[in-house]
Amino acid sequence: MKIFTTVLISLFYNLAFSQTPIEGKSFIINNKNDYSFLENVIKSKKIVLLGEQSHGDGATFDEKVEIVKYLHEKMGYNTIVFESGFYDHYKAFEMYSKSKSDISVFSEAVFGIWSDTKAFQNLMNYVDERAKQNDPIKILGFDSQEGSIFKNHFMDDFIKLFENRKITFPENVITSIEKSFVSRDLEDVASNKKDSLELYKNFDLIMDSFNKIENVNFDEKIMKQVFVSKIADVSFDIMQLQKQKIAVQNPRDEQMAKNLIFLSEIYPNDKMICWGASYHFSKNINQIEYTDETEDYFKQYASNEIKNTGYSDYKTGDGSKLLEGAIPMGELLKKHFGEQIYSIAFSSFEGQYGIVDEKPFPILQPPFNSIEQQLYDKATSKTFFEFNKNDNNSYYCSALGNIPFKAKWGFIFDGLLFIKKSYQPEIRSYPKPVINNSKEEVFSIVGKITDSKNRKVIPNAEVSLVKTKRSIVANKDGAFSFTIQKKDFQDKLIISAMGYATDTINISSIISTNKNQINIRLRSHKFEGIILDEVVVNSARKSLTAEDIVTKARNNIELNYYQDPNNQKFYFRTQIIKKNKITSNIEAVINTYNSNGMKGVNTPDEGLYGEIQQMHTLAEDNINNQYGKITNFAFIFDRDVILSKSNVLYKTSSYNLKKEEVLLYNDRKVYKISFVNNSPGSYSTGYGYPAPKKSSGILYIDTETFAVLKYEHCVVREPSEIKNQKDKMAQKLHKIIFTYKTHEGKYFINYCNVINKSIITSIADNVILSENFLVNNVMSINVKYSNVEKIERPLQKINQNITLKEDSEFWNNNNFILQDDKVIFDLCD
């Protein structure tokens, strides 16, 4: 009886859990990464598509690098095309191939999900080495989405192309292209029919001009395709802003397919390897069956997302609609290239995945009757499986997002590379910085700066040494602490503030009193009205208008600000303040490398690099882990009036200007120019969605050199719903202050204070629930123009893969900006 029962149980198990063996050919990949089977599988295909189940599968990334090497060396594939910006890669490859930049330029072109990884670093090292062996590999991109290279270079190339062809456009046409393509200032276009018609009229005008060009050269063909690609990209954004119903990312997929087809035609002899998401490289998505089992996996992954991030936007049943009407680029490519294209998907059975430097997610074990389970049972770590295209059976497979879908996979991909265990990508490395921790005898001076008449606090006055020019900035309460090294004991302190006469104090006289606390009273000094001896513009001695002064400031940037590579060391503090309590407080000393000098661009951080030399964490807000972090430092420079082009200095026509008065600063006469934005948007303020509601501020400009000495700006943005708290609204306000001073005759950033204020209100009754502040202070420590140290780490990556031991003695002996008693936000009130 027992035997009979056992037989029944065994029979039931086999019937319930039996799986139809997948039809196709298996190729075991040994530890030596023998891919020789690809020579028969791929044969003479023009294009190979290397997908990935998510953008965080490190094992897949590493394997793709090895496959690229094999395909290049053994099968003659000479071009890699990334799912990244079409123009970005065109420009990056041009700069690299003409030795205007090294291989690191591709880190700006390729999206960070790949360029931040060790796998990508290894791939670029390989490409660079092959180039040195006169065996070049092209690096291109097929995406309509572009990055910082596009933002900083496209408009110059675009304008130059038509200038060379003696074709001109009205200024408003050029502005509309820059607004839509570069600044992504599209909210008015999406909501206003007149603006929308005007934009597309301008698109047509430029396309007609492209079509009229005769004997089109290579670069002009590329630029025309870039323009077509960006029209598609902008149109996709507008559709999303208008909340139109869009099947997955069909508009983007369609344009990516067109871009790749274009590249195959302009490089007819190239054999291409494409690197991107498996979804984009798939076809016949309608073959996928949505089952209850797939829904269960979606729910489990949503639960894991909540554990990791505290939030998931997945709602029960959403997965069944996820791929409705989807037409990925792989389907369009198959129609165009036919048998000349081969797509490979990837999947794993276990392990982890996750974007670099973020919390990883576990891979949930695939269903028992899945392709992964069958390949796992073969007891090898890696297997390549070529699907039988005539197999009409459906199987579960996790090639899309690590979620098991049931489908006839031979109709969707040509092959699958199975890796048993996945892992999160390894972070790329950078050369370790040299840090000098030499100790010296010091004397600390603590002081407060006030008005000599009314004893009112003078905020953010500058205190500096005469000889070494080393300086610090007082806080909003006029307080400062200055640590003087022994070699500077015979030097003098200079105290200066806008509108006040400069004061000078001998350091030795302070030390001799054995008291380190001083009170400084500055004498106010301002000119009544506009003085007679200011610069004039003609023989009639007509005084300069506010517009004239700002124009001169813009035109004199090259004369006033250092234009070559340099190092500048900064003190940085970032704080989160809630209910008048500091919940996060991080300080650092960061050495930067500016590869371009003080030049206006759309994304300043493209040419800025840096390394943390000291760091000090006083408090850390774990709940708001995306704010109050050291990475805020990089984005401070996007607000600088000289480095960034999205402000009153470069977009002057968007502002109304007024000449207020002439003041004294550092014993120099300074124009005070107020400004109000008459068309606030990302184009003129640098702030995108939610749209800026209003912006205004002040420029202080030297009357002789026309250098900007101080910049104040306030931006108020439209209220918007909080993504994961639908019952609440948030409104953001931004207060920006930058000051500049000279070093060896050239101006540089001296101090900046950027405060982001968030007002959270209840939608039900419009009651203010909270007011939170993110306060960032940056102060220059020193500048170096000679023997410049080249730093390779992009400023946005200064926190990646860094282990730095805190030096308490350093922070005890080097006081920088003292803590303010309270946050002052009066500029925006």
Side-chain angles (χ1 to χ4, degrees):
M1 187 70 177
K2 185 177 179 182
I3 295 173
F4 180 70
T5 303
T6 304
V7 170
L8 281 178
I9 292 172
S10 177
L11 179 61
F12 173 78
Y13 182 87
N14 288 329
L15 287 173
F17 297 101
S18 62
Q19 49 188 348
T20 305
I22 49 175
E23 296 181 20
K25 297 179 183 178
S26 292
F27 301 90
I28 305 302
I29 303 173
N30 59 31
N31 294 331
K32 294 182 179 179
N33 289 329
D34 181 6
Y35 301 110
S36 57
F37 62 87
L38 289 176
E39 295 184 35
N40 290 322
V41 170
I42 294 175
K43 296 179 182 175
S44 58
K45 308 292 185 186
K46 179 177 176 63
I47 296 175
V48 176
L49 307 175
L50 296 181
E52 57 200 45
Q53 56 275 54
S54 80
H55 291 319
D57 291 274
T60 295
F61 292 0
D62 291 339
E63 198 69 21
K64 284 164 75 167
V65 171
E66 296 305 315
I67 292 173
V68 167
K69 292 178 182 178
Y70 184 89
L71 292 178
H72 174 66
E73 294 176 26
K74 303 297 183 181
M75 300 183 65
Y77 286 83
N78 59 345
T79 300
I80 309 168
V81 195
F82 277 92
E83 181 194 330
S84 293
F86 182 84
Y87 173 90
D88 285 342
H89 283 77
Y90 154 70
K91 193 67 179 179
F93 186 70
E94 176 188 68
M95 295 165 72
Y96 174 68
S97 59
K98 293 181 179 180
S99 300
K100 293 180 179 179
S101 181
D102 59 26
I103 195 71
S104 66
V105 70
F106 290 107
S107 293
E108 297 291 338
V110 174
F111 295 156
I113 50 177
W114 297 301
S115 62
D116 286 348
T117 69
K118 188 79 174 212
F120 179 81
Q121 186 177 27
N122 292 339
L123 179 60
M124 291 302 101
N125 289 341
Y126 174 77
V127 170
D128 204 30
E129 189 58 38
R130 299 305 293 194
K132 293 172 183 175
Q133 297 175 27
N134 200 27
D135 182 21
I137 302 171
K138 289 190 188 76
I139 309 291
L140 305 174
F142 59 75
D143 205 336
S144 56
Q145 298 179 149
E146 304 282 359
S148 61
I149 295 178
F150 177 89
K151 290 180 178 179
N152 288 334
H153 298 281
F154 169 75
M155 288 306 299
D156 289 341
D157 284 351
F158 173 78
I159 292 169
K160 184 179 178 182
L161 183 157
F162 286 106
E163 283 180 348
N164 290 341
R165 288 290 186 169
K166 304 288 190 294
I167 298 173
T168 59
F169 301 108
E171 186 177 345
N172 68 303
V173 173
I174 299 297
T175 298
S176 73
I177 299 305
E178 186 175 7
K179 273 189 172 184
S180 59
F181 280 11
V182 179
S183 302
R184 313 299 286 185
D185 206 338
L186 298 170
E187 291 195 29
D188 287 343
V189 175
S191 60
N192 187 298
K193 185 177 180 180
K194 181 183 177 182
D195 289 348
S196 179
L197 290 172
E198 187 66 28
L199 177 62
Y200 281 90
K201 181 182 176 182
N202 291 335
F203 287 164
D204 289 341
L205 173 64
I206 290 166
M207 284 306 303
D208 286 344
S209 299
F210 268 118
N211 293 332
K212 289 176 183 177
I213 296 175
E214 297 180 355
N215 301 317
V216 182
N217 61 37
F218 177 87
D219 291 319
E220 289 168 340
K221 289 178 182 177
I222 292 282
M223 287 296 289
K224 181 181 178 181
Q225 185 64 24
V226 170
F227 197 82
V228 169
S229 180
K230 289 311 295 176
I231 291 176
D233 185 41
V234 164
S235 298
F236 186 31
D237 266 12
I238 291 172
M239 290 167 69
Q240 291 175 309
L241 286 169
Q242 293 173 338
K243 299 188 181 338
Q244 294 187 35
K245 187 176 181 180
I246 306 166
V248 197
Q249 297 185 51
N250 284 0
R252 179 182 169 217
D253 274 273
E254 181 181 1
Q255 190 56 49
M256 290 195 297
K258 289 178 179 178
N259 288 345
L260 186 59
I261 291 168
F262 172 86
L263 290 173
S264 72
E265 292 172 348
I266 204 165
Y267 296 109
N269 300 320
D270 285 16
K271 296 176 71 176
M272 297 180 170
I273 306 164
C274 293
W275 183 306
S278 291
Y279 166 77
H280 294 305
F281 295 159
S282 65
K283 56 188 181 292
N284 300 318
I285 285 294
N286 60 350
Q287 293 289 331
I288 288 178
E289 306 169 32
Y290 196 80
T291 66
D292 290 342
E293 193 156 11
T294 301
E295 175 67 21
D296 287 340
Y297 275 88
F298 266 111
K299 289 177 181 177
Q300 290 181 67
Y301 275 111
S303 177
N304 287 339
E305 189 177 15
I306 292 171
K307 290 177 184 176
N308 268 18
T309 66
Y311 174 71
S312 174
D313 59 2
Y314 185 77
K315 296 177 182 177
T316 300
D318 280 358
S320 62
K321 305 169 187 174
L322 192 63
L323 299 174
E324 282 183 357
I327 305 175
M329 66 178 290
E331 189 158 330
L332 302 174
L333 294 174
K334 185 66 177 178
K335 288 179 182 178
H336 182 86
F337 291 104
E339 295 306 310
Q340 287 299 301
I341 196 165
Y342 194 93
S343 61
I344 300 175
F346 290 74
S347 72
S348 296
F349 184 82
E350 59 193 4
Q352 293 181 321
Y353 70 98
I355 291 173
V356 159
D357 213 28
E358 292 185 8
K359 207 169 181 179
F361 294 87
I363 288 179
L364 300 177
Q365 185 173 314
F368 176 80
N369 53 349
S370 65
I371 291 175
E372 285 78 17
Q373 179 69 62
Q374 294 190 47
L375 296 176
Y376 180 85
D377 291 341
K378 294 182 182 294
T380 59
S381 61
K382 291 184 291 187
T383 303
F384 180 83
F385 187 84
E386 185 172 35
F387 293 110
N388 180 346
K389 292 179 173 50
N390 298 317
D391 184 1
N392 282 310
N393 293 309
S394 293
Y395 312 90
Y396 280 102
C397 181
S398 300
L400 299 177
N402 288 307
I403 298 281
F405 288 99
K406 194 174 185 181
K408 299 171 184 177
W409 289 98
F411 293 87
I412 298 174
F413 297 108
D414 297 306
L416 174 76
L417 202 154
F418 171 74
I419 304 170
K420 270 193 174 182
K421 189 170 186 177
S422 186
Y423 46 82
Q424 188 177 27
E426 185 180 351
I427 300 174
R428 64 163 300 166
S429 61
Y430 297 94
K432 291 185 178 180
V434 177
I435 301 173
N436 181 11
N437 286 328
S438 59
K439 307 294 189 296
E440 284 191 54
E441 183 182 344
V442 297
F443 180 81
S444 292
I445 298 172
V446 177
K448 190 157 187 174
I449 305 167
T450 56
D451 188 296
S452 62
K453 285 186 178 180
N454 54 32
R455 297 296 190 266
K456 285 186 178 180
V457 164
I458 300 174
N460 303 134
E462 182 185 322
V463 183
S464 59
L465 294 171
V466 172
K467 294 179 182 178
T468 62
K469 307 294 185 183
R470 191 163 68 89
S471 66
I472 60 101
V473 175
N475 67 8
K476 298 284 193 310
D477 305 307
F480 71 91
S481 176
F482 202 137
T483 302
I484 314 292
Q485 297 173 342
K486 186 175 181 179
K487 62 183 178 63
D488 297 321
F489 284 0
Q490 300 305 312
D491 207 338
K492 296 178 180 179
L493 284 179
I494 295 179
I495 300 91
S496 55
M498 190 68 68
Y500 289 86
T502 297
D503 195 6
T504 304
I505 302 173
N506 289 320
I507 295 171
S508 57
S509 65
I510 302 171
I511 296 174
S512 65
T513 64
N514 290 321
K515 294 181 180 180
N516 69 340
Q517 292 192 343
I518 58 174
N519 290 313
I520 298 166
R521 314 271 190 250
L522 293 185
R523 181 172 54 86
S524 63
H525 190 303
K526 77 172 186 176
F527 301 94
E528 297 298 329
I530 303 300
I531 56 176
L532 295 177
D533 62 342
E534 66 177 277
V535 179
V536 294
V537 293
N538 55 39
S539 58
R541 301 191 68 81
K542 179 182 176 183
S543 65
L544 292 170
T545 66
E547 287 77 11
D548 294 333
I549 295 166
V550 173
T551 299
K552 283 181 173 290
R554 182 173 62 250
N555 293 340
N556 283 12
I557 287 174
E558 288 189 18
L559 293 174
N560 287 323
Y561 297 86
Y562 196 69
Q563 298 292 294
D564 295 318
N566 61 83
N567 293 127
Q568 188 168 4
K569 192 177 293 186
F570 292 98
Y571 163 79
F572 173 57
R573 182 174 67 209
T574 182
Q575 300 171 313
I576 294 174
I577 300 174
K578 297 179 180 178
K579 297 179 180 178
N580 295 320
K581 181 182 177 182
I582 297 173
T583 61
S584 182
N585 192 351
I586 301 173
E587 295 178 302
V589 171
I590 302 169
N591 190 28
T592 66
Y593 169 65
N594 185 335
S595 61
N596 299 319
M598 294 287 284
K599 299 174 184 176
V601 293
N602 288 305
T603 55
D605 48 63
E606 180 196 345
L608 292 173
Y609 304 82
E611 290 286 359
I612 302 170
Q613 297 197 324
Q614 300 284 349
M615 195 159 80
H616 187 40
T617 302
L618 299 170
E620 191 163 10
D621 192 326
N622 293 319
I623 297 175
N624 292 276
N625 53 18
Q626 71 271 43
Y627 303 113
K629 293 295 184 182
I630 204 74
T631 47
N632 288 344
F633 179 73
F635 302 106
I636 295 297
F637 297 92
D638 291 338
R639 308 303 167 205
D640 179 59
V641 75
I642 305 299
L643 293 176
S644 171
K645 283 188 172 181
S646 298
N647 53 57
V648 63
L649 192 60
Y650 295 92
K651 308 296 194 262
T652 310
S653 61
S654 296
Y655 291 83
N656 295 322
L657 308 178
K658 182 181 179 182
K659 184 166 61 173
E660 301 284 355
E661 59 183 330
V662 173
L663 301 171
L664 196 69
Y665 180 59
N666 270 334
D667 298 326
R668 298 186 68 86
K669 297 171 186 174
V670 178
Y671 292 114
K672 179 182 178 181
I673 308 291
S674 64
F675 57 83
V676 177
N677 201 327
N678 55 43
S679 57
S682 57
Y683 172 75
S684 58
T685 68
Y687 289 99
Y689 180 83
K693 185 177 180 181
K694 59 182 180 179
S695 77
S696 59
I698 302 170
L699 286 170
Y700 297 91
I701 300 173
D702 191 297
T703 61
E704 293 183 16
T705 65
F706 294 95
V708 178
L709 302 186
K710 188 175 182 181
Y711 165 64
E712 299 178 355
H713 191 190
C714 176
V715 179
V716 179
R717 295 161 80 177
E718 295 284 358
S720 61
E721 285 188 1
I722 300 176
K723 183 178 180 182
N724 57 344
Q725 300 177 56
K726 299 296 184 181
D727 59 332
K728 297 176 184 177
M729 295 285 287
Q731 184 174 29
K732 295 182 179 179
L733 298 84
H734 309 277
K735 180 180 178 182
I736 303 156
I737 297 175
F738 275 81
T739 67
Y740 308 85
K741 66 179 295 186
T742 56
H743 175 77
E744 297 181 7
K746 296 290 183 180
Y747 286 90
F748 60 91
I749 295 171
N750 182 48
Y751 167 72
C752 58
N753 175 230
V754 178
I755 304 176
N756 300 327
K757 179 180 180 180
S758 296
I759 304 173
I760 312 299
T761 57
S762 168
I763 292 178
D765 52 17
N766 202 34
V767 171
I768 295 177
L769 302 175
S770 65
E771 291 185 351
N772 304 323
F773 297 89
L774 173 61
V775 182
N776 297 291
N777 282 288
V778 176
M779 186 183 72
S780 175
I781 298 175
N782 61 45
V783 184
K784 188 168 71 171
Y785 294 156
S786 57
N787 301 316
V788 174
E789 173 193 358
K790 182 179 179 181
I791 300 173
E792 296 182 16
R793 184 189 298 273
L795 215 54
Q796 289 189 20
K797 318 297 182 186
I798 57 173
N799 68 322
Q800 288 189 353
N801 210 14
I802 288 291
T803 53
L804 200 63
K805 187 177 180 181
E806 188 171 302
D807 185 346
S808 57
E809 187 175 350
F810 171 85
W811 292 105
N812 290 335
N813 293 333
N814 292 271
N815 297 311
F816 296 103
I817 302 173
L818 296 180
Q819 176 62 41
D820 300 315
D821 288 341
K822 61 180 180 178
V823 179
I824 300 174
F825 214 77
D826 55 340
L827 187 65
C828 294
D829 295 337

